[in-house]
Amino acid sequence: MRKATFITAVYNGEKFVEETIQSVLNQTEPDFWFVIRLNACVDRSEEIVRAYAEKDNRIIVLKNKVNYMTDDGVHISKRGFWPEFDSEYVVKLDHDDILHPDFLKILYEAGHTAHADLVVGGCYFFDDVTKKITNERIPPQLQTNCISDLKGDFPALYGSLRTLWGKLYSAKLFDQCYEEMYTRPEKLKLCGDTWAVFVFLEHCTSFVSVAQPLMYYRTGQSSQFFSKIPEVSRIYEGKILFDRGMECLQNIGCDTAENIRHLYSVYAGHMADLIFIVQNSNSMTAAQKLEYLQLILQDTHLASYRNSAVVLLQPYIQECVKKIYASDKDNPALFRYYLYRLEHVYQKQDHTKEGLLIYLSVMADRANPLLYGIELLSHMYWNQTPKKEAVWLRTPLEQKLALVKDQPFVQAIQQIYPPNTVENELEQQMLAAMEEDEWVRAFELLQKLEDITMLHESGIFCRLMLLLIQDKIQEAIQFAYVAKSIFPESMAIQNICDQL
């Protein structure tokens, strides 16, 4: 039995696979097997791999015509995809990874001495173009025969647990966990490694980590994570991994408050990475960027942990939306997105009635379940009212909204400030003036109605009609999105919006 078996699946890896093979063959500990499976390669990968296999009998070459499926129909998610291992440990290696010459020597000695199921090392990240080291992940030096002992070191250890590579797995543990690690949700595409490591941790009894970088991981613009247009599934990946991480912490007895907070910070960091990609993408339109950002802010975990995660993400979102607004200012079509409308309020410093209505539409928008931007609430009052106490927004609303949770924003406000007799009379007079095409009179009554409340369906309908009568089409389109967000169920408002 050899000390370790390296396993690598190669798919069109001619650019990097030779460097990977050399880093394995140059190990100062020579007692290993190296199993390379060629996955439907159509480039020079097979030629390169077989040339090395002819010179070194430690290399075992397997080949299949379909990617990740053996020729006899065994998928990579099944243990039979790889042969039985005649070694103490197994090492998972991507076809573009590079090992430190002492990788196996140092990790094996640490793991074998402690009879460890799982041995974790550190790594360097290097730029694929400049070849310069850009970052490092180095775990704390640990050894335990009780996995729950990791509870105090989990935050420091987590970075090194996020990948399958850079580790030694006992052959027994690898066999035991192999198929289970592939029972992950379909939406989890780029973060499957972390899911898999959670599985290994749950079945691990003895653990060792070595505080030394022993492999090199290449990064660059070709990296899948930093592709030009991020898939929506990446948003859900953060949530999926958070849930799985919580489950793992509970199963291994490490679910302390500090470790849970760390998972939330990792989750927020995942979202911040996506925001960075969106902000710097040259392939996404302004509408696509705003749509993606709003999908991020609809995530239920942000809602359940609003006071922390949203606060962490807010500077990134604000910077991204600020750039979008600056490059496409006052675009009526972009008013459909509440983040764009909120930035409009920020930029214009508009505390007029119109500005207040735009802001209220942000709070009322069904795509904004977190009430993102509510911190402006106490500042967005209509300061031209002779008696400020007459305005519905006369007190900070956060505390009052907490009393009417799980209701749409407008209904919550109307519950706090129900319509009164004066308001109802003004509404009837205004509607009568509109019916008789007395628009000057209708506008005067609208002003009085808005002195009492800005959130009145008839008042907003009247304001939209006034814009149309004055032939202010661009402003009408903008306000149509405002009106629809505040009163999405109003047929009268919907009919006008459809015409625009």
Side-chain angles (χ1 to χ4, degrees):
M1 178 181 289
R2 300 203 173 182
K3 293 179 178 177
T5 299
F6 293 91
I7 60 172
T8 300
V10 180
Y11 176 71
N12 293 339
E14 64 178 4
K15 185 177 180 181
F16 304 115
V17 70
E18 186 167 11
E19 194 172 9
T20 299
I21 294 172
Q22 289 176 350
S23 76
V24 174
L25 299 183
N26 289 337
Q27 290 296 298
T28 55
E29 171 52 69
D31 188 21
F32 60 82
W33 294 109
F34 188 9
V35 180
I36 303 176
R37 181 172 277 283
L38 298 164
N39 282 293
C41 296
V42 296
D43 62 356
R44 293 183 56 251
S45 295
E46 181 173 1
E47 176 187 338
I48 296 168
V49 169
R50 292 199 183 279
Y52 276 96
E54 289 177 2
K55 300 175 184 177
D56 197 315
N57 61 13
R58 293 174 299 178
I59 299 177
I60 301 170
V61 182
L62 306 174
K63 181 182 178 181
N64 39 272
K65 298 175 182 177
V66 179
N67 194 26
Y68 294 142
M69 181 78 72
T70 67
D71 290 347
D72 53 355
V74 180
H75 189 260
I76 190 173
S77 61
K78 301 300 180 182
R79 177 61 188 85
F81 186 81
W82 298 103
E84 295 298 319
F85 301 126
D86 182 27
S87 61
E88 186 177 350
Y89 286 99
V90 178
V91 182
K92 178 78 166 59
L93 197 63
D94 289 340
H95 72 225
D96 59 349
D97 292 340
I98 302 173
L99 300 178
H100 186 283
D102 292 328
F103 173 89
L104 183 56
K105 178 178 183 292
I106 292 174
L107 291 188
Y108 179 82
E109 287 179 357
H112 179 75
T113 301
H115 305 287
D117 297 321
L118 178 58
V119 188
V120 177
C123 77
Y124 285 124
F125 294 81
F126 70 96
D127 186 274
D128 189 29
V129 177
T130 65
K131 308 303 180 185
K132 292 182 178 179
I133 301 297
T134 58
N135 201 355
E136 64 181 20
R137 284 182 187 164
I138 302 178
Q141 191 79 26
L142 298 171
Q143 177 184 335
T144 180
N145 291 319
C146 180
I147 200 70
S148 63
D149 289 344
L150 298 179
K151 63 169 64 77
D153 298 285
F154 181 78
L157 186 61
Y158 184 84
S160 298
L161 296 177
R162 299 180 72 171
T163 59
L164 279 170
W165 42 259
K167 300 169 179 60
L168 268 59
Y169 307 88
S170 72
K172 179 181 178 181
L173 179 68
F174 196 84
D175 287 343
Q176 180 183 3
C177 297
Y178 187 87
E179 294 190 5
E180 184 180 345
M181 74 177 177
Y182 279 102
T183 58
R184 53 185 183 244
E186 290 184 7
K187 288 183 178 180
L188 195 64
K189 296 181 179 180
L190 298 183
C191 300
D193 274 18
T194 308
W195 177 285
V197 174
F198 286 149
V199 173
F200 283 112
L201 278 177
E202 290 172 337
H203 293 279
C204 175
T205 56
S206 51
F207 177 92
V208 169
S209 58
V210 177
Q212 187 173 342
L214 293 169
M215 71 170 293
Y216 302 86
Y217 181 78
R218 71 179 73 243
T219 61
Q221 293 184 349
S222 61
S223 170
Q224 274 190 303
F225 190 86
F226 290 99
S227 60
K228 297 298 182 182
I229 300 181
E231 296 180 9
V232 173
S233 61
R234 294 195 193 177
I235 297 174
Y236 306 123
E237 285 185 324
K239 177 180 181 297
I240 291 168
L241 279 184
F242 175 84
D243 289 340
R244 188 64 183 87
M246 284 290 292
E247 182 183 4
C248 178
L249 286 180
Q250 293 167 2
N251 289 340
I252 66 176
C254 293
D255 52 334
T256 64
E258 181 183 1
N259 291 342
I260 293 171
R261 281 195 299 270
H262 182 74
L263 283 184
Y264 270 114
S265 69
V266 172
Y267 167 74
H270 174 86
M271 296 302 187
D273 285 341
L274 293 179
I275 295 167
F276 175 81
I277 295 170
V278 170
Q279 178 175 320
N280 292 281
S281 174
N282 295 322
S283 303
M284 300 177 75
T285 65
Q288 287 174 322
K289 290 183 177 183
L290 291 165
E291 182 84 30
Y292 201 93
L293 293 174
Q294 291 188 180
L295 284 174
I296 288 176
L297 288 171
Q298 286 183 35
D299 191 283
T300 55
H301 280 63
L302 287 175
S304 63
Y305 208 70
R306 178 179 175 272
N307 291 334
S308 177
V310 172
V311 170
L312 288 171
L313 293 179
Q314 195 164 21
Y316 302 99
I317 293 173
Q318 286 177 338
E319 181 64 22
C320 187
V321 177
K322 182 179 179 181
K323 290 187 176 181
I324 294 171
Y325 186 86
S327 65
D328 206 349
K329 195 174 296 184
D330 296 329
N331 184 338
L334 295 182
F335 261 67
R336 74 170 63 236
Y337 302 104
Y338 73 81
L339 286 175
Y340 188 88
R341 298 197 301 273
L342 182 62
E343 185 62 25
H344 179 85
V345 173
Y346 275 126
Q347 295 294 332
K348 300 293 185 180
Q349 291 292 303
D350 188 356
H351 289 194
T352 64
K353 290 180 178 180
E354 291 80 2
L356 180 54
L357 279 172
I358 294 172
Y359 175 72
L360 294 178
S361 77
V362 173
M363 295 295 97
D365 199 304
R366 288 177 173 179
N368 186 15
L370 304 186
L371 298 183
Y372 181 83
I374 198 171
E375 70 279 354
L376 279 183
L377 201 56
S378 59
H379 305 291
M380 288 301 300
Y381 56 82
W382 178 37
N383 55 18
Q384 297 175 356
T385 307
K387 296 181 179 180
K388 289 183 181 179
E389 65 273 11
V391 184
W392 71 266
L393 195 57
R394 52 184 175 267
T395 58
L397 217 53
E398 289 91 338
Q399 293 181 353
K400 290 190 175 183
L401 283 173
L403 302 177
V404 285
K405 287 181 179 179
D406 302 321
Q407 294 187 50
F409 182 84
V410 173
Q411 284 86 332
I413 298 298
Q414 290 173 335
Q415 181 175 328
I416 295 171
Y417 302 105
N420 55 46
T421 304
V422 175
E423 181 181 331
N424 292 334
E425 289 178 355
L426 284 170
E427 177 191 13
Q428 295 303 316
Q429 294 174 23
M430 182 188 69
L431 291 173
M434 291 171 64
E435 186 71 24
E436 297 171 7
D437 288 336
E438 295 180 1
W439 292 102
V440 174
R441 172 66 175 157
F443 180 71
E444 292 173 351
L445 291 166
L446 174 63
Q447 296 289 303
K448 292 180 180 180
L449 181 61
E450 289 180 342
D451 285 350
I452 300 174
T453 177
M454 299 294 293
L455 287 173
H456 199 292
E457 182 178 342
S458 297
I460 287 178
F461 175 74
C462 178
R463 182 174 283 277
L464 186 55
M465 289 296 296
L466 285 167
L467 289 171
L468 288 172
I469 288 170
Q470 297 173 71
D471 203 28
K472 296 180 178 179
I473 302 301
Q474 296 299 307
E475 293 179 37
I477 293 173
Q478 290 182 356
F479 192 72
Y481 290 118
V482 171
K484 283 177 65 175
S485 298
I486 296 177
F487 290 105
E489 306 296 337
S490 171
M491 292 303 299
I493 290 174
Q494 185 64 52
N495 289 337
I496 297 178
C497 294
D498 289 344
Q499 295 175 24
L500 290 170

